[in-house]
């Protein structure tokens, strides 16, 4: 077999492959064997039909077609390995010449991972928010905790903001009560915003037994997105009573003995949260600066596939779970279809560039992923997916997604290397020393790329 590579552009090549006919022998034998099992010829036992009879009855062309289809993937793979190119996706194959007994010539055009030069990134500087926790922040956290321990007691008065009302609901669209538009005994805190728009104004001022009607756009169910006439009846009004803010409350709501200790712990928790947000912000901004430094050509087919994948996931998974379609989603977001397409394309380009650049850094820095790192990442992904680690691991293995997870961890380690080399200052001008947490950076990379399929599009498959 002979092969040659022609570079069509920085992300696409054409392989020209010439195969001497004798190298097709195994595929020809396999073709005759396969056809033998599929056909019957009077006078011959199944599977024992001579090759010359098959040629006479069914045509030599059918045998050659079967043999070539069997042989193409093998010769294509050999040519790819010989040329040492990193292919992305499936090739477009064209058989240019097939002479029985002489030669098979074909070409294969395929996207390839571009060559990327990583410049010196040690000069990257970014600014992030300072970690500052005010007394007001602590007060808010303690108040939220206090509200979790609130009690309620029925009152004989009109409902007010903050009250918990028990209500019955009935929704009509075009004068017809919806099958899923009736709910009784619903508990609702006025002002929480957890139910329909307009319900707060409807129930405020009503006593037990009071009733009101209002219009609202339904957020879910069979008539999601439609205007409905909603009748609400209050069956009980209950006032929320907050516990006294003292040492006794601290003992009730936490492991601490005093309110002062509880407040100190709340401050520490808030600081930890802000430090985590600060680290994530630093990673995102360092990554943006890194991408600005590197010229990354993006394969057109890969970009098209990634855009389609993102749209499919949004429409058929995320929006489907919310009971929305794309048109309604864009209306809620206040975006046009053109704006949505532009944003999706920009995000896809960024995801692909991120993967290419960080993969190049993984190779350059010779970064490896050990079993402990992979296990920790798997545990985190399992938690975010709502699955147990065992369930998630089984799904990953069965779906052949282990390389994808390894890639996420490796790219997280690559980004951590860049972050460590960068200068990160907060808005107060203080230099921030970030912990080298590859799992956090893996999460940042994952959020950026959204499982860009570039990693698993290098399968050596052909389509004749």
């Amino acid at each position: 077999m002979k092969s040659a590579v022609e570079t069509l552009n920085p992300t696409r090549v054409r392989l020209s492959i010439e195969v001497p006919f004798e190298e097709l022998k195994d595929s020809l034998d396999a073709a005759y064997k396969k056809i033998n099992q599929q056909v019957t010829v009077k006078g011959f036992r199944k599977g024992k039909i001579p090759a010359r009879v098959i040629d006479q009855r069914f045509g030599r062309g059918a045998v050659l077609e079967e043999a070539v289809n069997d042989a193409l993937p093998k010769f294509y793979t050999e040519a790819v390995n010989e040329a040492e190119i990193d292919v992305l996706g499936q090739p477009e194959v064209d058989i240019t010449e097939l002479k029985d007994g002489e030669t098979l010539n074909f070409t294969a055009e395929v996207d390839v991972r571009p060559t990327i030069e990583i410049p010196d990134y040690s000069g990257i500087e970014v600014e992030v928010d300072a970690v500052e926790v005010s007394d007001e922040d602590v007060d808010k956290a303690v108040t939220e905790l206090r509200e979790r321990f609130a009690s309620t007691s029925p009152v004989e008065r009109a409902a007010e903001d903050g009250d918990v009302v028990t209500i019955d609901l009935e929704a009509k669209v075009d004068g017809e009560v919806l099958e899923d538009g009736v709910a009784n005994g619903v508990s609702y805190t006025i002002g929480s915003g957890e139910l329909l728009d307009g319900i707060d104004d409807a129930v405020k001022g009503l006593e037990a037994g009071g009733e009101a009607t209002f219009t609202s756009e339904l957020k879910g169910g069979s008539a999601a997105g439609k205007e409905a006439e909603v009748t609400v009846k209050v069956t009980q009004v209950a006032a929320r009573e907050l516990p006294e803010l003292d040492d006794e409350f601290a003992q009730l709501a936490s492991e601490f003995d005093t309110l002062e200790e509880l407040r100190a712990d709340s401050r520490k928790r808030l600081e930890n949260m802000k430090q985590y947000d600060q680290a994530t912000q630093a990673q995102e901004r360092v990554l943006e600066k890194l991408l600005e430094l590197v010229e990354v050509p993006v394969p057109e087919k890969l970009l098209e596939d990634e855009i389609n994948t993102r749209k499919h996931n949004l429409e058929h998974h995320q929006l489907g779970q919310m009971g929305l379609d794309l048109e309604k989603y864009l209306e809620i977001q206040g975006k046009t279809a053109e704006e949505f397409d532009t944003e999706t394309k920009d995000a896809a380009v960024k995801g692909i560039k991120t993967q290419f650049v960080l993969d190049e850094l993984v190779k350059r820095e010779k970064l490896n992923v050990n079993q402990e790192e992979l296990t920790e990442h798997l545990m985190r992904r399992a938690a975010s997916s709502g699955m147990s680690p065992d369930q998630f691991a089984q799904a990953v293995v069965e779906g052949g997604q282990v390389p994808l997870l390894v890639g996420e961890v490796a790219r997280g380690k690559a980004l951590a290397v860049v972050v460590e080399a960068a200068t990160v200052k907060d808005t107060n001008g203080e230099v921030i020393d970030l912990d080298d947490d590859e799992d956090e950076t893996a999460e940042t990379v994952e959020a950026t790329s959204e499982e860009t399929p570039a990693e698993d599009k290098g399968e050596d498959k052909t389509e004749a």
Side-chain angles (χ1 to χ4, degrees):
M1 184 198 77
K2 296 180 182 178
S3 65
V5 181
E6 177 188 358
T7 300
L8 303 178
N9 61 50
T11 63
R12 194 165 180 82
V13 300
R14 178 188 292 122
L15 293 163
S16 297
I17 302 165
E18 181 180 333
V19 183
F21 206 81
E22 56 267 23
E23 294 187 31
L24 289 173
K25 183 180 183 307
D26 289 344
S27 293
L28 279 168
D29 291 343
Y32 278 116
K33 185 176 181 180
K34 182 176 181 180
I35 294 173
N36 241 308
Q37 299 300 321
Q38 294 175 337
V39 302
T40 58
V41 176
K42 189 175 181 180
F44 297 95
R45 286 182 295 165
K46 196 174 185 66
K48 299 295 184 179
I49 308 170
R52 59 179 175 78
V53 175
I54 290 177
D55 289 345
Q56 292 169 356
R57 290 293 186 92
F58 306 102
R60 174 72 167 175
V63 179
L64 289 176
E65 182 180 355
E66 183 67 40
V68 168
N69 286 337
D70 176 73
L72 282 180
K74 180 183 70 172
F75 292 118
Y76 166 73
T77 301
E78 287 181 11
V80 166
N81 293 337
E82 185 179 285
E84 296 182 341
I85 54 178
D86 194 349
V87 300
L88 301 169
Q90 298 184 12
E92 294 179 3
V93 174
D94 181 25
I95 298 174
T96 56
E97 186 176 31
L98 175 58
K99 289 185 178 180
D100 193 359
E102 295 184 30
T103 186
L104 163 66
N105 295 335
F106 69 95
T107 61
E109 287 191 20
V110 65
D111 285 337
V112 294
R113 188 179 292 264
T115 300
I116 299 173
E117 297 294 331
I118 306 292
D120 179 18
Y121 49 77
S122 60
I124 290 178
E125 293 188 12
V126 298
E127 184 180 75
V128 295
D129 295 335
V131 173
E132 296 174 342
V133 178
S134 66
D135 289 342
E136 289 76 14
D137 293 332
V138 177
D139 289 342
K140 182 179 178 182
V142 173
T143 297
E144 289 174 354
L145 179 63
R146 187 182 176 200
E147 288 178 345
R148 285 166 51 189
F149 285 84
S151 59
T152 60
S153 57
V155 292
E156 294 183 3
R157 60 166 173 77
E160 302 172 354
D161 269 327
D163 284 344
V164 178
V165 289
T166 304
I167 54 179
D168 297 336
L169 294 166
E170 182 183 83
K172 294 180 180 179
V173 173
D174 298 329
E176 296 291 331
V177 178
L178 299 172
E179 289 186 10
D180 55 354
V182 177
N184 296 318
V186 177
S187 180
Y188 175 66
T189 301
I190 301 176
S192 66
E194 294 175 353
L195 279 177
L196 300 167
D197 293 337
I199 194 169
D200 289 339
D201 291 336
V203 297
K204 277 191 293 187
L206 295 181
E207 297 183 13
E211 188 176 297
T213 300
F214 64 101
T215 59
S216 182
E217 183 178 297
L218 299 178
K219 297 180 180 180
S222 61
K226 293 185 177 180
E227 285 287 328
E229 181 184 84
V230 182
T231 300
V232 55
K233 180 178 181 180
V234 176
T235 59
Q236 179 180 277
V237 178
R240 298 174 74 248
E241 298 177 0
L242 299 179
E244 289 294 326
L245 204 54
D246 52 21
D247 292 347
E248 186 175 338
F249 166 69
Q251 294 164 21
L252 169 69
S254 71
E255 69 271 30
F256 302 106
D257 293 327
T258 67
L259 182 60
E260 184 178 351
E261 291 174 326
L262 174 60
R263 289 181 60 85
D265 180 69
S266 296
R267 184 180 295 275
K268 183 63 178 176
R269 289 175 183 271
L270 290 171
E271 287 175 350
N272 289 341
M273 290 171 57
K274 287 180 177 285
Q275 285 171 350
Y276 180 87
D277 291 342
Q278 185 188 66
T280 301
Q281 190 179 64
Q283 292 153 13
E284 292 172 348
R285 294 183 178 179
V286 167
L287 176 59
E288 289 175 1
K289 290 283 189 180
L290 176 64
L291 294 180
E292 290 173 4
L293 293 175
V294 187
E295 186 68 30
V296 186
V298 176
E300 290 183 10
K301 184 64 168 63
L302 179 63
L303 177 58
E304 180 184 342
D305 290 345
E306 175 62 5
I307 290 172
N308 290 336
T309 296
R310 287 172 182 256
K311 286 183 176 180
H312 177 84
N313 288 341
L314 176 65
E315 290 189 63
H316 298 280
H317 297 293
Q318 300 170 37
L319 296 184
Q321 294 175 354
M322 298 163 61
L324 298 174
D325 58 18
L326 183 58
E327 183 179 354
K328 190 62 185 178
Y329 168 76
L330 293 179
E331 182 183 329
I332 293 172
Q333 293 292 313
K335 297 176 184 176
T336 65
E338 291 75 16
E339 289 171 335
F340 169 74
D341 287 342
T342 298
E343 289 180 4
T344 303
K345 180 180 179 180
D346 290 344
V349 168
K350 183 179 180 181
I352 293 171
K353 287 185 174 181
T354 295
Q355 183 165 324
F356 283 170
V357 170
L358 295 182
D359 283 346
E360 184 63 30
L361 272 169
V362 168
K363 288 196 296 185
R364 194 174 90 167
E365 301 292 339
K366 296 181 173 60
L367 301 175
N368 296 310
V369 176
N370 59 41
Q371 186 61 48
E372 182 180 356
E373 291 168 332
L374 181 59
T375 300
E376 289 178 359
H377 185 60
L378 186 147
M379 297 277 284
R380 183 182 63 80
R381 288 290 304 273
S384 65
S385 71
M387 301 170 68
S388 72
D390 287 344
Q391 289 174 323
F392 187 79
Q394 183 178 353
V396 167
V397 172
E398 291 178 352
Q401 299 299 304
V402 173
L404 189 145
L405 259 65
V406 172
E408 287 176 359
V409 178
R411 287 188 281 275
K413 296 180 73 170
L415 179 55
V417 169
V418 183
V419 172
E420 186 177 359
T423 299
V424 181
K425 294 182 179 180
D426 66 17
T427 49
N428 294 328
E430 297 291 329
V431 175
I432 306 301
D433 182 19
L434 296 169
D435 291 333
D436 187 13
D437 190 334
E438 288 88 358
D439 210 42
E440 284 185 19
T441 46
E443 186 174 357
T444 299
V445 172
E446 178 194 336
T448 302
S449 62
E450 291 192 4
E451 294 185 3
T452 299
E455 182 67 22
D456 57 2
K457 285 188 175 286
E459 299 176 11
D460 296 331
K461 297 179 180 177
T462 58
E463 291 180 350

